[in-house]
């Protein structure tokens, strides 16, 4: 079952602006990951944050995790046209050997 | 080699056909996965192999039959599919102890 909810479902911004996507989940987790998928292609791992971490940075990406609210956010700063893609959060549930993906946010960066 | 490859890229088949999807990785990963993804939806897990043994089957219909001949190769055999099985089929792999998964580009399957 897909436990993650993401919002917004779709986001359209101008190049250079920041993009923020949110993810909520329902069960206890070991960690939370964000993946990017370009249209009709495979997913690419972006960043992983562990359940005992609150914030993590990687280049233009900033991820936060609030386990009390069971939510995470992904911030992409100074967006580029190449950032146009779908973004999925994925949780690694405690005791389970699998990822559960959120519904995804479709991000469009307008030049 | 940090790549997961999948063949074919596209596949069109009739409901009475038998076909196979192939996935290969040479990263030494011991966990491999099959996902199904419909348009504008997240990937849905189908099967997980760990150390070449099937460890998870997400109640997938028997017309889908996975096979893991060795630690680098994963197949998905297809037989008597339905039009609603048309989707992007993604393969992924991971180190057994780490959660990050590496995905292949997928096979776009159309069932007529």
């Amino acid at each position: 079952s897909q436990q993650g909810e993401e919002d917004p479902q779709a986001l359209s911004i101008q190049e250079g602006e920041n993009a923020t996507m949110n993810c909520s989940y329902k069960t206890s987790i070991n960690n939370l990951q964000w993946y990017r998928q370009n249209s009709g292609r495979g997913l690419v791992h972006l960043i992983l944050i562990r359940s005992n971490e609150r914030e993590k940075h990687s280049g233009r990406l900033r991820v936060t995790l609030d386990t009390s609210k069971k939510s995470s956010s992904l911030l992409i700063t100074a967006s580029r046209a190449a950032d146009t893609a779908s973004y999925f959060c994925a949780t690694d549930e405690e005791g389970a050997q699998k990822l559960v993906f959120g519904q995804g946010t479709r991000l469009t960066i307008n030049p | 080699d940090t790549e997961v490859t999948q063949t074919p890229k596209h596949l069109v088949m009739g409901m009475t056909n038998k076909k196979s999807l192939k996935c290969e990785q040479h990263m030494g990963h011991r966990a491999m996965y099959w996902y199904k993804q419909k348009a504008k939806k997240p990937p849905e897990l189908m099967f997980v192999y760990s150390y070449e043994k099937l460890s998870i089957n997400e109640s997938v219909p028997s017309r889908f039959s996975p096979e893991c001949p060795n630690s680098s190769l994963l197949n998905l055999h297809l037989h008597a599919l339905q039009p609603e099985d048309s989707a992007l089929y993604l393969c992924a792999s991971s180190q057994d102890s780490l959660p990050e998964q590496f995905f292949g580009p997928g096979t776009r399957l159309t069932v007529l």
Side-chain angles (χ1 to χ4, degrees):
Chain A
S1 63
Q2 303 297 328
Q3 72 155 340
E5 297 289 332
E6 292 189 55
D7 80 271
Q9 291 187 355
L11 178 62
S12 181
I13 61 174
Q14 294 300 119
E15 196 166 18
E17 294 180 340
N18 296 340
T20 300
M21 289 158 269
N22 302 295
C23 166
S24 62
Y25 57 92
K26 297 176 182 175
T27 64
S28 296
I29 61 172
N30 293 317
N31 57 69
L32 186 144
Q33 304 177 59
W34 286 89
Y35 287 81
R36 184 188 73 226
Q37 184 177 33
N38 291 88
S39 181
R41 303 290 292 170
L43 282 74
V44 175
H45 179 266
L46 296 176
I47 194 167
L48 178 149
I49 187 165
R50 302 193 186 283
S51 60
N52 61 355
E53 297 176 310
R54 292 296 167 258
E55 186 171 317
K56 200 162 185 179
H57 296 256
S58 177
R60 294 184 296 114
L61 305 180
R62 172 177 169 253
V63 170
T64 61
L65 179 64
D66 186 335
T67 52
S68 66
K69 295 181 180 179
K70 291 187 168 58
S71 67
S72 174
S73 68
L74 172 67
L75 169 66
I76 303 174
T77 61
S79 63
R80 305 167 181 169
D83 295 327
T84 294
S86 291
Y87 292 81
F88 295 94
C89 66
T91 50
D92 180 19
E93 297 177 11
E94 286 184 355
Q97 190 199 352
K98 63 182 184 180
L99 293 181
V100 178
F101 286 87
Q103 294 301 304
T105 294
R106 294 188 304 280
L107 176 65
T108 301
I109 308 299
N110 301 304
Chain B
D1 186 353
T2 58
E3 195 179 36
V4 176
T5 59
Q6 289 188 244
T7 55
K9 289 184 179 180
H10 301 275
L11 179 62
V12 179
M13 59 186 292
M15 290 188 286
T16 58
N17 292 160
K18 285 185 180 181
K19 297 287 184 182
S20 296
L21 309 184
K22 178 180 173 180
C23 172
E24 199 162 5
Q25 57 88 13
H26 296 285
M27 293 178 279
H29 292 170
R30 304 311 298 267
M32 296 185 76
Y33 311 79
W34 280 116
Y35 290 88
K36 173 183 176 181
Q37 186 179 27
K38 302 285 266 185
K40 298 185 178 180
K41 294 292 186 182
E44 294 179 7
L45 183 66
M46 299 175 71
F47 303 103
V48 179
Y49 272 84
S50 180
Y51 289 86
E52 299 159 49
K53 294 192 185 307
L54 183 65
S55 60
I56 295 178
N57 176 342
E58 292 286 278
S59 302
V60 178
S62 60
R63 58 185 183 269
F64 295 90
S65 176
E67 179 195 19
C68 189
N70 59 58
S71 60
S72 300
L73 194 56
L74 188 65
N75 297 321
L76 186 62
H77 303 297
L78 314 173
H79 174 55
L81 295 192
Q82 305 296 309
E84 58 264 30
D85 296 322
S86 298
L88 181 68
Y89 287 84
L90 295 163
C91 173
S93 69
S94 68
Q95 292 190 34
D96 189 48
S97 59
L98 296 179
E100 176 188 351
Q101 294 187 14
F102 292 76
F103 283 80
T107 293
R108 175 73 60 188
L109 174 67
T110 302
V111 182
L112 301 176

